[in-house]
Each structure stands twice: as structure tokens, then as C-alpha cells.
Amino acid sequence: MNGGPTARRGGALLLALLLVALAGAAVAGFALRDWLPPLASSHGAGVDRTIRYILAATGAIFILGHLTLAFCVWRFREGGAGGYRPVGPRAEWLWALGPVALMTVVSEVGVLWIGMPVWAEVYGEPPAGALEVEVVGKQFEWLVRYPGKDGVPGRTDPRMVHDARNPLGLDRGDPAARDDVVLRGELHLDAGRDTVVRLRSHDVLHSFSLPLLRVKQDVVPGLAIPTRFRPTREGSFEIACAELCGLGHYRMRGTAVVHPAGEFEAWLAAQPGWFE
Ligand SMILES: [Cu+2]
């Protein structure tokens, strides 16, 4: 059903306006509020910068695309001034390859340029004096271990794991293991201090996520994966599992307590070892 020239004109105009309105609504949705949660780590500023860059770059392409589409719908409508003209293969290639080249520049050049320094901060060599802590994911909780007063993490053995008595499988026979501090669902950090969290899993894939600290790292069975960050604000922050890991995934949460600068060591010294 084509309708008369007036109906076709009205339809083209309506569609063009709808496309412009969609683009406008998308811009308003992002511009009316800041979607990123408050920031509580130093490298997180770089993560936010990367996210905002991608949003602005792809957003500009999105708007440009919609305006071009709206223009073409109106200009080349049936019976309109532009009329319908088939394009040659050269123009088709240009329109196909142009966006690919543009997206390559946006994603490969821009993201690498802004993101690589952040990557180096998260996965580079930790500075001397960094706080080292182990976090183990298991269905469905986070286990946290500090090496204790001797500063040496003790041996663990999967055969010694007992859900209530020895969740980490600490080897009682290893003197270094006796003073290891083990906590369930509670990670304690020192404000302003570089921290390296070594991540392990007891069962399946998990993902260690501290949204306000912009930390998210997959936890892979068989690997000990370090992730580095420096908390900048004291307080309590949510730890979440960001990888669907089973029926209880939704309740695999914990709390990261960031102590005021200088108070962490006193807290740690007051914690008894698991076998003490
Ligand atoms: Cu999980």
C-alpha cells in the first residue's frame, strides 16, 4: 500500500522525526545523570575516563548515523526532490569501509591510548610495601587470607578443606600456616596503600568485583591471579561476584572495609591466626 504523494510525504517526515527523536532521547538519557557510582580508588579515574571516552565516541557516531538516516529517509523518499537513485559499487564500498575504519580508530587507537596506562597500574609490578592478601572464591562466598605475623602465607591442601573447620584447607603441619588470618566474606584494606589481591578459586569461575573501586577480575580455577589497586576512601564497600557461578551466585557477596590510613596494621595485629 503506497498511498498518495501527501501520505508518502507525511510518512517519510514522521519516520525522519522519529529517528531524530530517538537520537535525542538517547543523548538525554545519558546526559541527565551521571551513571557511574562514586569512585573509591586511584586507578579508577582511568577506568572512568576510558568508559566516558567510549561513550562519547560511540555516542557521536550513533547520533551522526541517526541524523544521516533521517536525512536520507526525507531527501530520497519516493516522489521527493532527491528521488530514488541506485548507488554504484564504489559508493557502497566507501559506505561499508568508512564506518569500519572509524570504529577501528575509536576502539584500537583511542582505547589503547587511554587504557594502557590503567592496565599497567592494575597488572604491573606492585611497589614495595604493598599490602598482599589472598581472596579465594568458592560457591558461594569469598574467603580472605592474610599471611599473619610471620608475613608468610602457609601451605594449603585441597584435601584438608572442611567447610566449617578449615574452609581454606590450611595445612596445620606447616608452621607458617598457624598464624594465617582467615576471614569469611570480609576483606580489610588500608586507605591510601597499594594493595595486591591474589585471586584463587576452589571450584568454578567467579569474578571478584569491587564496583566502587573499579576492580573486576575473573577468578579462574587452577590460577592465582593478582589484581592491584589503591583504595582512596575509607568506609565499607560491596564485594560482588560478577560471574554467574551457580544457583547461589546472587548471594555471593562480601564487604571490603577500608580502614583509615595507618589503622589497618593495628587491626591486623589484633586478629588471631586460624589455628591459634
Ligand atoms: Cu561466584
Side-chain angles (χ1 to χ4, degrees), residues 1-273:
M1 206 179 79
N2 272 326
T6 316
R8 283 202 296 271
R9 200 180 136 91
L13 186 65
L14 203 63
L15 185 54
L17 287 178
L18 180 70
L19 286 163
V20 175
L22 273 176
V27 172
F30 282 107
L32 286 180
R33 59 164 286 194
D34 189 5
W35 290 91
L36 292 169
L39 182 63
S41 72
S42 57
H43 80 280
V47 175
D48 288 2
R49 210 175 306 129
T50 314
I51 291 173
R52 285 186 214 281
Y53 157 73
I54 296 172
L55 185 65
T58 54
I61 294 172
F62 175 83
I63 306 291
L64 212 63
H66 272 64
L67 293 182
T68 308
L69 202 54
F71 170 77
C72 291
V73 162
W74 174 249
R75 179 96 172 85
F76 303 113
R77 71 187 186 276
E78 197 186 347
Y84 171 72
R85 275 178 289 145
V87 292
R90 203 179 121 87
E92 271 190 14
W93 274 108
L94 270 176
W95 277 98
L97 293 180
V100 172
L102 188 61
M103 280 312 294
T104 307
V105 172
V106 165
S107 58
E108 301 306 322
V109 180
V111 171
L112 289 181
W113 184 270
I114 302 172
M116 281 320 277
V118 189
W119 179 272
E121 257 187 272
V122 175
Y123 296 106
E125 269 306 305
L131 168 65
E132 296 218 16
V133 52
E134 181 182 65
V135 172
V136 176
K138 67 178 271 264
Q139 289 171 320
F140 297 98
E141 64 174 333
W142 297 104
L143 302 168
V144 175
R145 167 161 74 146
Y146 296 91
K149 292 162 198 76
D150 60 2
V152 182
R155 206 168 37 232
T156 57
D157 186 333
R159 288 167 299 186
M160 295 181 183
V161 170
H162 182 283
D163 239 13
R165 287 199 300 272
N166 192 0
L168 261 183
L170 281 178
D171 183 350
R172 195 183 268 273
D174 179 12
R178 295 197 64 79
D179 65 348
D180 284 11
V181 174
V182 178
L183 303 167
R184 307 186 91 132
E186 221 177 85
L187 172 65
H188 288 256
L189 302 166
D190 201 357
R193 183 165 168 197
D194 283 291
T195 304
V196 180
V197 173
R198 276 181 210 291
L199 293 159
R200 295 196 297 120
S201 168
H202 267 192
D203 36 48
V204 298
L205 279 175
H206 300 278
S207 182
F208 175 72
S209 168
L210 283 165
L212 268 62
L213 280 83
R214 307 295 192 269
V215 173
K216 189 182 277 175
Q217 172 60 54
D218 276 4
V219 186
V220 183
L223 297 180
I225 303 176
T227 188
R228 211 181 99 194
F229 57 91
R230 190 195 308 143
T232 50
R233 279 172 41 195
E234 52 193 78
S236 289
F237 304 94
E238 183 192 17
I239 305 173
C241 180
E243 175 75 49
L244 185 57
C245 58
L247 281 177
H249 166 67
Y250 70 95
R251 62 179 155 89
M252 188 163 168
R253 307 165 91 180
T255 307
V257 179
V258 180
H259 291 259
E263 289 180 20
F264 169 81
E265 288 299 338
W267 170 86
L268 185 61
Q271 304 305 307

